[in-house]
Amino acid sequence: MAGRDLRALFSTNDRNVSATEAFTNRQGQWQIVQAALGEHLARITAPGFTVEDLEAPRNNILVMHGVGGIGKTTLSRTLEAAIAGAESRPARWGEPVWPARPTLLPVRIDLARSAGVDFERVVLTIRLALAAHLNRPLPAFDIALRRYWEHQHPGESLEEYLRRGGLAARFGKNLPQQMQSALSDVAQALLLPGTVGSALGQLTGALTTAIRERRQTVRALAGCARLADLLDVEPDVDALSYYPHLLAWELAQLPTDQAVAPVILLDTFEETGTRTHRDLERLLQRLVWLMPNAFFIVTGRGRLQWADPALEGQLDWTGPTAWPGLVGQAVPGPRTAGTPTESGRQVLIGDFSPEDCADYLARRLTRDGQPLIDGDLRTVIAERSHGLPLYLDLAVLRFLELRRAGRTPTPADFGSDFPALLTRTLADLTPDERHLLRAVSLVDAFDLPLATAAAGLPHLSAAARLVERPFVRHDPFALWPYHLHALIRSTLRTADDATDDRWTDTDWQQAAARALAALGAQWQSSSGPDRRLLVGCLRQGLALARDHRLELGWLTDAAWAYTDDYVWEPLPLPARESGDGELATAADALAELLAALARRQHEHRSVTASRLTRIIDTGLLPAELTEMAVYYQAKAYRDLGQNDASHDGMRLVADGDGRLAPDAARGLAHLARATGDFPTALSTAGALGWRGRGNRVLGDIHFAHGDMNQAATAFATARTEAEQHGNTGEQAIAQAHLALAYAFTDPSRADDEIALAEQLLAGLDQRATALTLKVAALAREAGTLTDLEGARALRAEIHAAGITSAEAVFELALALHHAVLGEHDKVRTVIHRLHELAQRGDYAYYADVAHYMAGLPLPDPSPTTWLDGPDAVRPRWRQLVQDRQTRISEHR
């Protein structure tokens, strides 16, 4: 029954105000499960129920949802154990009253991305559980699954897949034998000779024909009306998503003494996709719909929206008629320990989602059946609560207090955290735990050593106790596995602290310094390169140094390590507590510098140049980090075609002989190449070595000359050097350039090189390199493209990035395509665009190359200084076109 909120009722004289509690507990959730399973068993054993009815509404699902860290996974595991047998059921939950048959068979599947579960594994897991329980074939399903497996996994045995994926260890090895038995039985019934496994296509074809002809030999399978249709279609994942119908049909054929009702627990459902990408969710919904004799318990962070008619077209079955139990209540109803009387199958547990917070506030205080707190204010309170029920509770009391004082509550009245949250949080903690809690509120996440060091304590025991508190969330896969509930952390940092042991400003400053030092120690003590640890320490360390005006210390070396590998992970920091965007300290400037370098992968280079100019002009950075800002500013200028400004910056850094001097020397070589001064570029490249990426520069020079063999050799050497030095970012860059070289000269080889480059780029954030690879894919198809829609989209993408070199190489790939087809007018159009790019002094020689490829004469003498003269360069580029024409002709 609904509880009454006595505090709220006694906070107002208005007897028309109704206040109710709306919380739940685990025992109540178990009783909800009992009731839902009881209804399900009654329904599937009632006369007239049939799995062949694909139009009846579905009530075979129960959803338990709530924000992260409230124990949904623990609940899912406990439910699995409780359904499996009384020995694992909490004593206070009591004994369920279920019939002996059908037997309930719980099957729990974690859908978290970290678990590596896809839809195929979901289906296999269910079938394996049934194989272990029933120890008998399910022929209709097994034949279809075997056909799917041989098409989708040629040469890979199911036995080996199950063993490698850990499924065999979990469920045993019965399934492959049961599938083979099903195939043998059907082959014998159809009088097919030979080995079943080698004639699966023949078997399924014969079986389909026999079913449609209603032959007596396959009378058992002929009862499955849709089996022949499923065996006829292409056995892909989409077809697999309909095979659960066969599984449901086979379960319905079991004799009474073997009847089983699977209870499938799908945990971490939020990771199946987003509200705009529902591919996996669509497949899972089919599973639920097509197995009406199975019961599904879904746990995740949000409600299932399947009953929302607005999803029509995104999922196969939507709306309240299809899913009557999933119809969203206007507000979450009160939760008690008793079995609920409503038929809804969406159960809110623990902390609330933002939408559910607002719904809760609408239900908590009502007057004449209408919410007392208006909608806009409910939204504000919900956002600031971070889902914490206690905040909502206190917000309701504040609302009533303001109303009692004759004021109309506004969002500003809820702009600060509640000191009572702080008092209640600290109330039952030991002094050491209180000290630790304040210290860890300074960081986003922590482990026991970091927490202990930040607090300045000599032992870990207090931290070990603290992490067991309910306001500390645990993510075992995170770099630092613990973090505070967001609202608790915010309250500790901002609310008025009236406790006896409250910290002074000096205490907070000292704790921040200890936390920064501890993060640096963790990074510096790492046994080897650990990019994840580096980025994590930088994120947390920069925020600490920025917010508490600390010296940079180890952050300087970490910043260099961050830039060395060209990976460019984002470094998002929380907004400054002051709220202004001014750069006042070295930490401010460094945080902005690294953020600008990461964001440049997603912004026009002019934006990057402006950001870096602002940072340099502050004069806040030490000299060596100012050098970093100047170098990347010069790179941005080069990408924008502002060669003079780029040259000045590169020369300044090169002459400074600092850590980026070799990179700046490489930049000067690139600038010389961009202006067509190849002798200068070559002489500079010869002195660069590995630190200056000399082989990559040589590859670019040879590429411009059409000498693709030497270019490929240089790029391959550059990639090998990067691999030897453990520099994954440089590996990806060199490999992308290698793929580009082969794309112009050997499309077949380019396929493999592009694939390898894509693998190396996975997880990296290198916009220019990614664009190079897309241009390589375009050049690989030169002469065979059926339309240029993709090319036009790529041109727009490159233009939006503001990278002139990528624009020039793109036009060169397009010139190759038109030259191969003999479309000289279109080549001239490309040449015109290249001349427009060259107005800034960039890559004018590419216009020469376009003439060479098409066999067109140069209208004017070229300013380009080739290494071996234009008479050597022209035939090399022209030969590339002729070779491509020959290749295309031979493959027609």
Side-chain angles (χ1 to χ4, degrees), residues 180-199:
Q180 188 65 29
S181 175
L183 293 169
S184 299
D185 291 345
V186 171
Q188 184 176 1
L190 294 171
L191 302 179
L192 291 176
T195 303
V196 173
S198 63

Side-chain angles (χ1 to χ4, degrees), residues 377 380-381 384 391 395 398-399 402 409-416 418:
L377 185 54
V380 170
I381 296 173
R384 292 174 180 168
Y391 183 96
R398 177 175 287 179
F399 177 89
L402 294 169
T410 67
D413 294 316
F414 298 87
S416 59
F418 294 100

Side-chain angles (χ1 to χ4, degrees), residues 30 33 37 73-90 93-96 98 104-108 170 263 265 297:
W30 166 244
V33 171
L37 279 172
T73 294
T74 300
L75 175 62
S76 179
R77 291 190 180 115
T78 305
L79 289 173
E80 178 190 29
I83 294 168
E87 64 276 6
S88 300
R89 188 180 306 129
W93 282 10
E95 188 71 19
W98 290 323
L104 293 178
L105 176 63
V107 185
R108 184 177 173 278
R170 180 180 173 188
V263 180
L265 300 101
I297 300 175

Side-chain angles (χ1 to χ4, degrees), residues 31 75 105 179 202 341 386 392 458 513 552 571 605 680 879:
Q31 291 174 341
L75 175 62
L105 176 63
M179 290 175 66
Q202 178 188 357
T341 57
H386 291 278
L392 301 176
L552 293 181
L571 283 169
R605 286 298 196 262
T680 298
Q879 188 63 47

Side-chain angles (χ1 to χ4, degrees), residues 302-365:
R303 288 191 183 104
L304 283 188
Q305 299 174 289
W306 297 354
D308 184 354
L311 263 65
E312 184 176 358
Q314 294 187 58
L315 299 174
D316 294 342
W317 295 275
T318 57
T321 302
W323 306 97
L326 300 184
V327 176
Q329 297 168 275
V331 295
R335 308 295 183 193
T336 69
T339 301
T341 57
E342 71 268 22
S343 60
R345 293 294 179 83
Q346 305 252 32
V347 180
L348 181 66
I349 59 174
D351 286 356
F352 297 159
S353 66
E355 297 83 3
D356 290 329
C357 288
D359 289 345
Y360 163 78
L361 292 168
R363 185 64 174 264
R364 179 69 180 278
L365 294 176

Side-chain angles (χ1 to χ4, degrees), residues 147 338 375-376 413 508 599 687 855:
R147 179 169 177 261
D376 290 342
D413 294 316
W508 285 107
R599 285 199 300 260

Side-chain angles (χ1 to χ4, degrees), residues 769-789:
T769 307
L771 292 174
T772 298
L773 199 56
K774 290 182 179 182
V775 172
L778 175 67
R780 176 189 57 188
E781 305 300 326
T784 62
L785 294 168
T786 56
D787 65 68
L788 296 179
E789 285 301 316

